[in-house]
Amino acid sequence: MFSCIGDIAGMTNVLSSVAIGQLYASSSYNIIISENVIPDRYETDASGNQNIITTNGTTNPISGNITLNTNVLNQSTDLGIAATMIHEMMHSYFLYGIKATTGVEKSFFIDMNSYLYDNNGILYSDDYQRSQHEQMAASYVNSMASLLEMYAHSNGIYSSPDSNISLSEYCKDIFWRNLATSQSSIKAPNQTRAERNGNRELKNESGSTNKKGC
Amino acid sequence: MMKYKIFGAILLFHFNCLAQKLSIEQSKLTDLFTQVLRDLAKNRDNQITYPFINYDNINYIQTFVKDGGLNDLKEKKDWTFISDVNNSTKFQYQKVERDKIKKQLILSNIKISRFKNEKLTFTPFVFSNNFNKTCFVFQETYFPGNNTANRLNTIICFYEYIDNVWVRIHAWPVVID
């Protein structure tokens, strides 16, 4: 797992992913990435059915530290794990921007991430997760997918397991899968396909890019 | 005989005071609940699902304190009472006047929708001894179908009673995934 994290973090130096690059370059903001078992949760819906919540990873809202779910690490493909890492690093970047930036850097952050704030520039502090996913959906999916595609190339994956789309589109689907279920109002271009391809990697279903090193 | 009369009077006075205190607390609790829902509805197109009470998420309050979350509050010292959440004796009094709250919300043009795809849960409010400060965790869950559920937000909120109105002091997520 940790070699995968190193690979992704290293890539941010050469990719135009401003957000994660900024997080990576900061000398004052340090985060710890670890793994732990995050048990599935069960929630009862309006019809009385038990529904399962599987958490791929979490970001601590106070420290920005990331915890990846051991169960998911054991199950997902390398690409699925890398996608989870990038997703959580984006959350950590948002926390960095909200809590640790000042002056010009703060203004730049607010301009870049307007979905996190209301029309008066007030942070959506009680609708945090939704606004962050909204922001990812609006501005970052393509660059997150580019980062993931780069990771795929460096690990010998050059074509999409879904033969109807390019590897680039396939990488976007993996991110859209999580953003679509977070009820972001900005939807995936093809939600059904994103769900299918996202599950293929996150649950290592047949026809995935398979599990190698992570 | 006189002794018993005096004792009875003291007892009566004591119970009257207690009843008055409980009545004030009940009224403040109703006002708080209404204000919290009003605040939440602001970013949700003035529409909200009526919440369920969830005791399990009380654990998030302890984690928040342990992680140093209180450092972001201006008067950190005034809020340390939430560290003692396990010993709170206030939970038993939290009987909420639903009809009164619903009427107040309707007067504020807030629509209360039925629990369908989105579920809202609150922990009981954890109050300071003077009943002027409180903290709780709310969680929104979304059910997209296919036997799955997604957490939308899990937020810790801090409210203070200032000039006879509950005011939100701070809100912060307790987990992001």
Side-chain angles (χ1 to χ4, degrees), chain B residues 126-165:
Chain B
V126 180
F127 286 100
S128 60
N129 280 336
N130 62 7
F131 224 79
N132 282 342
K133 285 187 173 62
T134 189
C135 160
F136 73 104
V137 170
F138 79 85
Q139 187 167 68
E140 288 175 287
T141 310
Y142 174 58
F143 299 93
N146 307 325
N147 298 320
T148 56
N150 294 89
R151 280 188 304 207
L152 295 182
N153 288 296
T154 312
I155 310 281
I156 188 166
C157 287
F158 295 83
Y159 276 76
E160 191 167 356
Y161 199 66
I162 303 168
D163 297 333
N164 297 326
V165 181

Side-chain angles (χ1 to χ4, degrees), chain A residues 56 72 76-88 133 136-137 140-142 144-152 157 159-162 165-182 188-205 207-210:
Chain A
N56 298 335
V72 174
S76 290
T77 64
D78 294 11
L79 214 56
I81 293 168
T84 301
M85 262 301 299
I86 294 168
H87 181 105
E88 296 307 328
H133 286 152
M136 282 189 219
Y140 292 101
V141 168
N142 291 350
M144 288 161 81
S146 297
L147 194 56
L148 188 61
E149 192 181 0
M150 207 171 176
Y151 173 79
I157 301 163
S159 61
S160 161
D162 183 340
I165 54 171
S166 65
L167 181 60
S168 167
E169 287 302 308
Y170 187 77
C171 288
K172 285 179 200 169
D173 276 358
I174 299 171
F175 290 108
W176 277 121
R177 181 257 187 197
N178 284 339
L179 296 175
T181 52
S182 67
N190 188 330
Q191 208 159 309
T192 314
R193 191 190 71 198
E195 184 79 20
R196 191 179 62 236
N197 287 334
N199 281 340
R200 205 197 295 240
E201 296 299 324
L202 288 160
K203 297 179 179 172
N204 196 6
E205 291 174 350
S208 73
T209 54
N210 296 322

Side-chain angles (χ1 to χ4, degrees), chain A residues 41 124-133 182-183, chain B residues 40 43-44 57 60 118-121 137-142 150-156 172-177:
Chain A
R41 280 174 62 118
Y124 283 123
S125 57
D126 69 22
D127 206 2
Y128 222 91
Q129 187 141 301
R130 190 177 349 217
S131 64
Q132 293 200 356
H133 286 152
S182 67
Q183 223 209 11
Chain B
L40 288 178
N43 295 333
R44 289 162 182 78
N57 287 341
Y60 283 121
E118 258 183 78
K119 185 180 178 182
L120 184 63
T121 54
V137 170
F138 79 85
Q139 187 167 68
E140 288 175 287
T141 310
Y142 174 58
N150 294 89
R151 280 188 304 207
L152 295 182
N153 288 296
T154 312
I155 310 281
I156 188 166
W172 198 251
V174 283
V175 65
I176 301 177
D177 54 26

Side-chain angles (χ1 to χ4, degrees), chain A residues 78-123:
Chain A
D78 294 11
L79 214 56
I81 293 168
T84 301
M85 262 301 299
I86 294 168
H87 181 105
E88 296 307 328
M89 281 172 95
M90 285 305 302
H91 281 306
S92 201
Y93 160 69
F94 290 140
L95 287 164
Y96 161 77
I98 291 163
K99 291 186 80 173
T101 58
T102 52
V104 178
E105 197 188 2
K106 183 77 166 183
S107 305
F108 177 72
F109 175 80
I110 294 173
D111 286 346
M112 286 263 301
N113 301 291
S114 57
Y115 282 79
L116 307 183
Y117 300 86
D118 68 14
N119 291 336
N120 300 316
I122 309 288
L123 187 75

